[in-house]
């Protein structure tokens, strides 16, 4: 019976496993026709243009605003303290029997450093920098070296270096080198007389190690001292910074503000630029704007500014020291207004530029040493030129084409549910006074175009009242038919390039954009959909 | 006697449900072990061809869908079971000082599904909502109910002879391990699709229960329960017999990791609201997540244990001896707590020899419509028995025009 039971359990188990275990098989599939809304959105200006670029005027119309820093002139441009090496060599004229502790060398020296642009520095505070001390000795005993730089001090203490140089060994010289950080040190560059400039005082002395042995120093022996000022960056400097001319440009900078616009024309009703100069340095300045222009390298167009400022001399007074924080009172030149009334500035933007070019000259101390060596500079206070632009969104546009690319992933779900084909219906309520035309391209993962859809119809402008203000919205239904191949392209796409061309109605009148304008979009899918049940 | 044995064997083949389908030994000294597999599926709308394609994971084309659509009524239902049983009937030498008692031991696996749906629910599922543009789709009454469990059985049976004919009565008690349960009921459901697809309105009141969805395999122990079967075979004169049984009186308690979701909501959908059209992917995906959809449906979602009654089945079968190895059978069956309709069967059996018999049966009801069945029974002289039966022979020949399918395979050995 046991054998029988066992046999029957096997049969039962076979039945059980065969019919009850969940089979990992595909589920049934069928196609359905689905009509359903997919998404809805309302596009306002702040979604199309970065908030920081928009400004709402009192009448609720909108202006584009942006700020561009043309240049900053700081310490490096006015002058630099180059790396400077001071070399001192000791060699006796006759042999000396040097006992331990015997001072065999002492020398006080003044050295002039060469600041660039003819700067005559009296005083400086070091923000960062170092001193490198190198010593080579042939003396056959340890030598203690003391190197003082009375010109450098911190907290009232002068820079003093004491080091023990190892003994030379026969013909093998002894060498020593070390780097000392002098950040925070004050440099008095007036020398011993107190009226010089760019002058460093050094005191060097050397004596036999008190714990050493008596040694003979012969005329063949020598000690070479090298002290190098390295990477000196002043936080503050005073003196006379020379009279020289600095060329700013000709130079170009990328102008990305309009980089989404690829074609078309625009006529701006008004453009307003404010050019500001601020002088945070204690020097007199004279600047000349030789050229300000824009360029569209894609269309090979360029426009140069015609304004009274071009070629004119602008005199900037020197800043003054406050003795407190902030350290300086900036000298500010009155704002230079550049607008469509006094220039062709609108043309600079209407070519839809991608480059901004400028060429300026800056003369430091055009009248010489009028400050009596009291020019000053703080590293953090510079000479600045800023360009503030305000562009009211009032314009005439003709096929002005914007393009943007954004990522999208359309995937079958893991069970195999997918859209076979169908139609995308777009219900558009346009509250903008713009006629628009949409098209888009699908790109694969290698950014290669796999499908272009140009079939969407024109979206008409919102109706306008007598003041050319949009009142209400214009409704339009657009249809995009998607074949099976089109859907396959969607599934293979990784990004969409959306292109919108728009034109203003009632040309040649300028159309103003108000902040409450919006466009409502609803996308409805009318699809044949493959259901994969599992 | 052997004919009677075979008769009872054949008789038992009409019992497509139940764990004790073998009461075919007239000799009270005989014990047996048997195993059987029985399955059935039926519907008053879904034909066998459609069911086969669905079950086998095939593609359901428009032509196949139309075969069901043409047969849809206001209320449509379906149901099915798959049972596998192992039973040992062992004679007790003496038990309670009696010698006419038998022990019953067994184990079983039971899978059950049933449901009902409206015509609109079928259309929405298999055709989509586009055909309802500008109209309402009434999906109220959508119901789906399924469970799977394993059980061990034990019971007692008494066999006596009355008028020379074997009489039986007994019970079978089951301890159940609940594997999986799902039940869904949409008491109120209306879906309106805008003519242009610009919005969809859903008005629904629903209840959903499920056992722990993290544990669904054979080893899942998501609930426990008990059930009892009662049965009796009453012989009459002239070898007529009445058989009565009540099966699956019981319940299953599903554990505290079970899910209950209820909702009564009116949901208006106009598309996913996109705040940043230029970051479409994240916006769409975030709002189309399952959790966000559930949130939007105002569902109350909680974990709690709950109890479920088993679908109890009541069967009556009457056997009439027509002499000369011919027999007539009439059977009625009903199952509560499901969409099962009263089931009626009328059959004819004939012995071809002492070892072979066949039968035919016409039946109607349950989950399906009219069916014609055929059964075949054979046993060897050393006690091996094989039964094969179906109540729906037409399912194999005209699947598109038949609405039920079932089969029983039974193996037994006496000792």
């Amino acid at each position: 019976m046991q054998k029988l039971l066992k046999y029957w359990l096997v049969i039962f188990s076979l039945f059980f496993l065969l019919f009850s275990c969940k089979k990992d098989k595909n589920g049934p599939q069928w196609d359905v026709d689905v009509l359903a809304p997919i998404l809805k959105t309302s596009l306002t200006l702040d979604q199309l243009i970065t908030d920081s670029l928009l400004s709402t005027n009192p009448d609720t119309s909108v202006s584009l605003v942006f700020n561009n820093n043309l240049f900053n002139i700081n310490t490096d441009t006015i002058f630099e303290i180059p790396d400077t090496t001071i070399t001192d060599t000791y060699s006796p004229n006759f042999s000396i029997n040097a006992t331990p502790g015997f001072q065999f060398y002492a020398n006080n020296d003044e050295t002039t450093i060469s600041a660039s642009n003819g700067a005559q520095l009296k005083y400086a505070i070091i923000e960062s920098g170092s001193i490198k001390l190198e010593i080579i000795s042939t003396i056959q005993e340890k030598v203690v070296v003391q190197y003082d730089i009375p010109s450098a001090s911190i907290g009232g203490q002068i820079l003093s270096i004491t080091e023990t140089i190892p003994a030379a060994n026969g013909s093998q010289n002894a060498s020593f080198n070390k780097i000392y950080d002098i950040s925070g040190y004050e440099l008095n560059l007036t020398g011993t007389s107190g009226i010089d400039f760019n002058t460093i005082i050094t005191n060097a002395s050397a004596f036999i190690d008190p714990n050493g042995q008596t040694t003979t120093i012969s005329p063949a022996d020598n000690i070479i001292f090298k002290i190098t000022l390295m990477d000196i960056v002043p936080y503050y400097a005073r003196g006379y910074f020379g009279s020289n001319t600095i060329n700013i440009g000709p130079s170009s900078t990328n102008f990305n503000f309009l980089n989404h616009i690829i074609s078309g024309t625009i006529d701006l009703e008004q453009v307003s630029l404010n050019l500001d100069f601020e002088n945070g340095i204690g020097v007199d300045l004279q600047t000349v704007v030789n050229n300000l222009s824009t360029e569209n390298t894609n269309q090979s167009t360029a426009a140069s500014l015609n304004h009274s400022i071009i070629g004119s001399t602008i005199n900037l007074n020197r800043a003054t020291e406050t003795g407190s924080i902030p350290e300086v009172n900036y000298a500010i030149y009155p704002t230079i207004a550049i607008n469509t009334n006094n220039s062709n500035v609108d043309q600079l933007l209407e070519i839809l530029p991608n480059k901004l070019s400028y060429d300026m000259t800056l003369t430091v101390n055009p009248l010489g040493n009028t400050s009596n060596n009291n020019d000053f500079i703080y590293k953090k206070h510079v000479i600045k030129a800023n360009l503030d632009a305000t562009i009211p969104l009032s314009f005439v546009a003709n096929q002005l084409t914007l393009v943007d690319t954004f990522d999208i992933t359309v995937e079958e779900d893991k069970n195999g549910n997918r859209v076979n084909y169908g139609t995308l219906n777009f219900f558009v309520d346009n509250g903008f006074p713009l006629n628009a035309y949409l098209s888009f391209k699908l790109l694969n993962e290698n950014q290669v175009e796999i499908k272009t859809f140009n079939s969407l119809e024109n979206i008409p402008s919102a109706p306008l009242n007598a003041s050319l203000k949009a009142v209400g919205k214009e409704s339009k239904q657009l249809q995009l038919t998607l074949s099976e191949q089109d859907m396959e392209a969607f599934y293979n796409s990784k990004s969409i390039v959306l292109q919108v061309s728009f034109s203003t109605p009632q040309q040649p009148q300028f159309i103003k954009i108000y902040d409450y304008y919006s466009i409502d979009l609803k996308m409805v899918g009318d699809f044949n959909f493959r259901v994969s049940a599992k | 006697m052997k004919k009677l044995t075979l008769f009872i064997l054949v008789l038992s083949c009409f019992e497509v449900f139940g764990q004790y389908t073998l009461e075919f030994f007239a000799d009270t000294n005989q014990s047996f072990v048997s195993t059987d597999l029985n399955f059935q599926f039926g519907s008053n709308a879904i034909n066998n061809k459609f069911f086969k394609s669905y079950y086998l994971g095939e593609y359901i084309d428009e032509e196949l869908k139309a075969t069901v659509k043409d047969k849809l009524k206001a209320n449509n239902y379906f149901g099915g079971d798959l049972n596998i049983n192992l039973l040992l009937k062992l004679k007790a030498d003496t038990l309670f000082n009696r010698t006419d008692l038998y022990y019953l031991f067994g184990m079983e696996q039971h899978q059950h599904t049933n449901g009902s749906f409206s015509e609109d629910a079928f259309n929405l599922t298999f055709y989509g909502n586009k055909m309802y543009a500008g109209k309402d789709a009434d999906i109220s009454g959508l119901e789906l109910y399924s469970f799977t469990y394993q059980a061990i059985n034990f019971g007692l049976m008494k066999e006596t002879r009355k008028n020379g004919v074997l009489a039986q009565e007994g019970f079978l008690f089951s301890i159940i391990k609940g594997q999986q349960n799902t039940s869904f009921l949409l008491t109120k459901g209306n879906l309106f699709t805008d003519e242009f697809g610009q919005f969809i309105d859903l008005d629904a009141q629903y209840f959903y229960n499920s056992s722990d969805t993290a544990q669904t395999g054979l080893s899942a122990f998501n609930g426990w329960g008990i059930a009892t079967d009662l049965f009796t075979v009453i012989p009459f004169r002239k070898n007529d017999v009445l058989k009565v049984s009540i099966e699956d009186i019981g319940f299953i308690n599903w554990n505290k990791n079970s899910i209950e979701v209820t909702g009564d909501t009116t949901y208006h959908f106009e598309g996913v609201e996109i705040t940043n059209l230029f970051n479409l992917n994240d916006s769409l995906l975030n709002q189309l997540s399952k959790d966000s959809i559930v949130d939007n449906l105002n569902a109350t979602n909680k974990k709690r244990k709950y109890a479920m009654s088993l679908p109890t089945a009541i069967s009556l079968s009457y056997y009439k001896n027509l002499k000369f190895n011919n027999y007539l059978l009439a059977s009625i069956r009903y199952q509560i707590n499901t969409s099962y309709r009263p089931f009626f069967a009328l059959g004819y059996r004939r012995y071809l020899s002492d070892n072979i018999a066949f039968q035919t049966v016409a039946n109607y009801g349950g989950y399906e419509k009219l069916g014609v069945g055929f059964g075949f029974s054979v046993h060897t002289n050393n006690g091996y028995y094989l039964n094969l039966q179906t109540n729906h022979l037409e399912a194999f020949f005209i699947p598109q025009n038949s609405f039920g399918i079932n089969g029983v395979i039974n193996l037994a050995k006496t000792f």
Side-chain angles (χ1 to χ4, degrees):
Chain A
M1 207 240 313
Q2 280 179 345
K3 189 175 172 184
L4 188 63
L5 257 180
K6 193 172 160 185
Y7 179 64
W8 238 250
L9 266 172
V10 168
I11 298 179
F12 173 76
S13 301
L14 274 174
F15 272 156
F16 188 82
L17 288 169
L18 194 58
F19 291 99
S20 69
C21 289
K22 186 174 177 181
K23 293 180 175 50
D24 186 15
K25 59 178 172 64
N26 292 330
Q29 296 181 325
W30 63 89
D31 296 333
V32 296
D33 292 318
V34 175
L35 180 65
I38 298 173
L39 64 86
K40 63 175 182 178
T41 188
S42 186
L43 289 173
T44 52
L45 264 182
D46 57 356
Q47 291 169 307
L48 295 168
I49 301 172
T50 310
D51 271 356
S52 58
L53 296 176
L54 290 176
S55 170
T56 301
N57 303 315
D59 65 349
T60 71
S61 66
V62 175
S63 297
L64 291 176
V65 294
F66 63 90
N67 174 278
N68 200 38
N69 174 246
L70 282 181
F71 62 79
N72 287 337
I73 304 292
N74 55 22
T75 317
D76 289 348
T77 311
I78 302 298
F79 70 87
E80 281 185 311
I81 299 175
D83 290 356
T84 304
T85 300
I86 303 167
T87 304
D88 209 353
T89 304
Y90 164 74
S91 182
N93 292 323
F94 48 87
S95 291
I96 299 170
N97 199 33
T99 54
F102 175 71
Q103 182 175 324
F104 59 87
Y105 173 74
N107 185 35
N108 299 331
D109 211 351
E110 283 191 351
T111 305
T112 302
I113 60 174
S114 302
S116 64
N117 295 331
Q120 299 172 5
L121 303 176
K122 296 275 189 181
Y123 174 81
I125 300 174
I126 307 300
E127 180 178 84
S128 65
S130 54
I131 281 180
K132 182 178 176 183
L133 176 64
E134 293 174 276
I135 299 174
I136 299 173
S137 168
T138 65
I139 295 171
Q140 301 293 309
E141 182 50 86
K142 286 192 231 173
V143 172
V144 177
V145 167
Q146 182 166 337
Y147 205 100
D148 295 340
I149 305 179
S151 294
S153 65
I154 187 167
Q157 299 291 318
I158 67 167
L159 178 59
S160 179
I161 298 168
T162 302
E163 299 286 355
T164 300
I165 312 304
N169 185 6
S171 61
Q172 187 78 24
N173 294 341
S175 67
F176 171 87
N177 68 77
K178 190 173 177 181
I179 295 174
Y180 305 85
D181 184 7
I182 59 168
S183 302
Y185 271 78
E186 296 176 41
L187 280 183
N188 183 334
L189 299 168
T190 57
T192 312
S193 68
I195 59 172
D196 288 329
F197 52 85
N198 295 344
T199 301
I200 289 184
I201 303 167
T202 56
N203 298 333
S205 59
F207 49 94
I208 299 297
D209 183 9
N211 300 318
Q213 305 286 327
T214 300
T215 188
T216 302
I217 304 173
S218 73
D221 286 319
N222 60 66
I223 296 182
I224 301 171
F225 304 87
K226 276 190 194 173
I227 195 126
T228 303
L229 294 170
M230 293 182 2
D231 302 324
I232 302 297
V233 176
Y235 163 75
Y236 171 77
R238 194 172 63 242
Y240 171 59
F241 299 151
S243 177
N244 54 81
T245 298
I246 302 164
N247 291 319
I248 302 165
S251 184
S252 294
T253 182
N254 287 333
F255 191 75
N256 296 323
F257 174 64
L258 301 172
N259 63 348
H260 286 299
I261 302 177
I262 59 170
S263 65
T265 63
I266 187 168
D267 184 7
L268 296 166
E269 185 175 11
Q270 178 66 251
V271 176
S272 178
L273 299 182
N274 288 330
L275 186 58
D276 292 305
F277 292 97
E278 294 179 21
N279 184 9
I281 298 177
V283 293
D284 295 324
L285 293 171
Q286 201 174 66
T287 186
V288 177
V289 180
N290 300 309
N291 177 56
L292 190 65
S293 61
T294 57
E295 188 183 354
N296 184 328
T297 57
N298 297 321
Q299 296 178 9
S300 300
T301 53
S304 293
L305 180 66
N306 290 328
H307 184 273
S308 57
I309 193 183
I310 302 296
S312 299
T313 301
I314 300 167
N315 292 313
L316 300 175
N317 293 330
R318 61 179 60 224
T320 54
E321 290 188 86
T322 64
S324 62
I325 306 293
E327 296 86 351
V328 304
N329 283 323
Y330 276 75
I332 300 175
Y333 190 82
T335 299
I336 300 168
I338 306 171
N339 52 53
T340 45
N341 296 324
N342 61 19
S343 73
N344 66 338
V345 65
D346 54 331
Q347 292 177 14
L348 268 67
L349 292 174
E350 286 166 359
I351 64 166
L352 308 173
N354 55 355
K355 275 198 181 313
L356 173 69
S357 301
Y358 50 89
D359 179 13
M360 305 169 76
T361 52
L362 191 72
T363 304
V364 178
N365 287 330
L367 301 178
N369 191 0
T370 58
S371 69
N372 194 24
N373 301 316
N374 282 307
D375 294 344
F376 70 86
I377 188 167
Y378 285 88
K379 182 169 179 283
K380 64 181 182 181
H381 296 296
V382 298
I383 303 167
K384 302 185 230 181
N386 292 318
L387 194 66
D388 290 322
T390 302
I391 307 169
L393 281 182
S394 177
F395 54 88
V396 176
N398 231 328
Q399 298 295 313
L400 194 68
T401 304
L402 277 75
V403 66
D404 201 357
T405 304
F406 51 97
D407 293 334
I408 190 164
T409 305
V410 180
E411 287 178 337
E412 292 181 29
D413 75 1
K414 54 185 177 183
N415 290 332
N417 295 296
R418 60 172 286 155
V419 176
N420 295 325
Y421 58 86
T423 305
L424 275 177
N425 293 311
F426 297 90
F427 295 88
V428 183
D429 293 315
N430 184 13
F432 280 92
L434 300 167
N435 298 309
Y437 180 82
L438 293 177
S439 63
F440 64 94
K441 299 178 197 175
L442 301 176
L443 307 180
N444 64 13
E445 59 193 4
N446 297 320
Q447 298 298 298
V448 174
E449 179 185 323
I450 51 178
K451 183 74 186 180
T452 299
F453 296 94
N454 280 323
S455 57
L456 297 180
E457 300 166 49
N458 180 55
I459 301 171
S461 157
L464 304 179
N465 62 12
S467 305
L468 300 180
K469 232 181 188 180
V471 286
K473 294 182 178 178
E474 185 71 27
S475 296
K476 175 79 178 181
Q477 182 180 347
L478 309 176
Q479 225 173 42
L480 179 66
T481 303
L482 300 171
S483 66
E484 288 192 29
Q485 291 76 24
D486 294 336
M487 279 314 306
E488 196 59 39
F490 260 105
Y491 283 118
N492 292 329
S493 66
K494 292 298 175 197
S495 46
I496 288 182
V497 179
L498 178 64
Q499 190 163 298
V500 181
S501 296
F502 59 88
S503 303
T504 51
Q506 304 211 18
Q507 296 184 15
Q509 300 188 76
F510 290 104
I511 300 295
K512 202 177 267 191
I513 304 296
Y514 292 84
D515 65 355
Y516 56 85
Y517 286 163
S518 67
I519 184 167
D520 302 326
L521 173 70
K522 181 178 287 183
M523 187 188 334
V524 172
D526 182 355
F527 293 138
N528 182 272
F529 187 85
R530 172 66 53 91
V531 175
S532 290
K534 204 162 188 178
Chain B
M1 202 58 74
K2 282 188 178 174
K3 288 178 186 175
L4 182 60
T5 302
L6 273 175
F7 154 69
I8 295 174
L9 166 66
V10 165
L11 173 66
S12 71
C13 289
F14 286 101
E15 300 297 325
V16 296
F17 308 101
Q19 303 169 38
Y20 49 92
T21 55
L22 303 172
E23 294 178 338
F24 49 85
F25 296 104
D27 186 349
T28 58
N29 289 325
Q30 286 198 307
S31 302
F32 69 79
V33 62
S34 79
T35 186
D36 68 80
L37 162 75
N38 64 78
F39 68 92
Q40 63 111 27
F41 175 82
S43 171
N44 67 338
I46 299 172
N47 59 62
N48 285 318
K49 189 175 179 186
F50 187 98
F51 169 68
K52 171 186 151 278
S53 292
Y54 191 94
Y55 185 76
L56 295 180
E58 297 173 349
Y59 176 71
I60 301 172
D61 62 18
E62 299 303 307
E63 192 182 337
L64 187 54
K65 282 193 261 183
T67 63
V68 177
K69 183 171 170 36
D70 294 342
K71 296 284 192 293
L72 290 174
K73 298 147 189 64
N75 184 31
N76 308 281
Y77 49 84
F78 65 92
D81 291 86
L82 175 67
N83 299 317
I84 306 167
N85 305 307
L86 175 68
L87 185 71
L88 170 67
K89 175 191 169 192
L90 198 61
K91 182 167 172 51
D93 291 331
T94 56
L95 182 64
F96 307 124
N97 294 320
R98 300 176 69 128
T99 58
D100 57 352
L101 294 179
Y102 291 79
Y103 298 112
L104 298 174
F105 300 102
M107 57 178 80
E108 65 176 303
Q109 149 93 3
H110 189 168
Q111 287 174 253
H112 172 84
T113 300
N114 76 274
S116 60
F117 54 94
S118 65
E119 180 178 357
D120 287 347
F122 179 87
N123 288 335
L124 275 179
T125 305
F126 289 97
Y127 286 96
N129 72 322
K130 186 176 177 182
M131 62 191 290
Y132 291 96
K135 294 186 272 191
D136 288 292
D138 182 6
I139 53 175
S140 302
L142 179 64
E143 187 179 17
L144 177 65
Y145 179 69
S146 74
F147 63 79
T148 304
Y149 70 73
Q150 295 81 37
I152 54 173
N153 324 114
F154 51 92
L156 284 176
M157 186 166 73
K158 182 179 94 171
E159 284 184 349
T160 53
R161 289 202 174 273
K162 292 181 181 176
N163 303 320
V165 179
L166 192 66
Q168 296 170 319
E169 55 191 359
F171 70 90
L172 196 68
F173 184 73
S174 301
I175 297 175
I176 296 170
K177 163 192 154 305
Q179 178 182 332
Q180 181 273 336
N181 166 244
T182 302
S183 66
F184 175 77
L185 174 61
L186 192 67
T187 52
K188 179 178 71 170
N190 189 77
L191 189 82
F192 176 80
T193 303
D194 171 63
E195 184 184 357
F196 301 106
Q198 293 207 52
F199 65 88
I200 290 176
D201 283 328
L202 174 67
D203 183 10
Q205 184 183 57
Y206 54 93
F207 303 90
Y208 172 79
N209 282 109
S210 170
S211 55
D212 187 359
T213 53
Q215 309 286 336
T216 57
L218 187 60
S219 60
F221 198 141
N222 290 322
W224 67 271
I226 54 174
T228 303
D229 295 354
L230 303 170
F231 56 90
T232 182
V233 175
I234 306 168
F236 293 98
R237 326 178 274 168
K238 299 180 184 175
N239 291 343
D240 293 351
V241 169
L242 174 68
K243 182 174 179 183
V244 181
S245 66
I246 305 176
E247 298 158 15
D248 287 336
I249 308 167
F251 62 88
I252 299 177
N253 278 322
W254 299 99
N255 66 24
K256 64 182 179 180
N257 292 324
S258 305
I259 296 166
E260 178 185 280
V261 180
T262 60
D264 187 353
T265 185
T266 303
Y267 183 55
H268 179 79
F269 181 65
E270 284 192 34
V272 174
E273 182 102 37
I274 301 294
T275 52
N276 184 354
L277 188 62
F278 300 103
N279 195 7
L280 192 61
N281 246 19
D282 286 349
S283 300
L284 255 182
L285 290 175
N286 288 343
Q287 295 199 49
L288 284 175
S289 70
K290 188 176 159 189
D291 287 340
S292 68
I293 292 173
V294 170
D295 288 342
N296 283 325
L297 291 176
N298 293 326
T300 305
N301 188 342
K302 48 188 170 187
K303 281 195 173 183
R304 50 169 279 184
K305 55 186 177 183
Y306 64 94
M308 171 196 92
S309 298
L310 293 173
T312 303
I314 305 166
S315 302
L316 278 92
S317 300
Y318 187 79
Y319 159 80
K320 177 72 182 169
N321 185 353
L322 299 177
K323 296 183 182 174
F324 307 113
N325 300 326
N326 298 296
Y327 299 85
L328 188 66
L329 167 74
S331 182
I332 301 173
R333 178 182 172 84
Y334 184 65
Q335 196 174 37
I336 63 173
N337 294 329
T338 70
S339 47
Y340 192 87
R341 272 44 178 182
F343 174 86
F344 304 93
L346 195 63
Y348 165 77
R349 187 231 356 122
R350 177 164 174 84
Y351 285 102
L352 299 177
S353 70
D354 286 346
N355 296 71
I356 301 171
F358 77 90
Q359 67 216 359
T360 64
V361 60
N363 53 81
Y364 185 89
Y367 295 114
E368 56 263 35
K369 299 180 179 180
L370 182 67
V372 176
F374 180 80
F376 171 78
S377 177
V378 64
H379 81 93
T380 64
N381 290 332
N382 55 357
Y384 286 96
Y385 289 83
L386 170 67
N387 300 317
L388 299 171
Q389 185 201 349
T390 178
N391 281 351
H392 292 281
L393 199 59
E394 74 282 359
F396 300 97
F397 297 102
I398 47 169
Q400 193 162 307
N401 293 309
S402 60
F403 296 85
I405 185 168
N406 91 315
V408 177
I409 304 170
N410 174 247
L411 294 168
K413 173 72 173 75
T414 59
F415 57 91

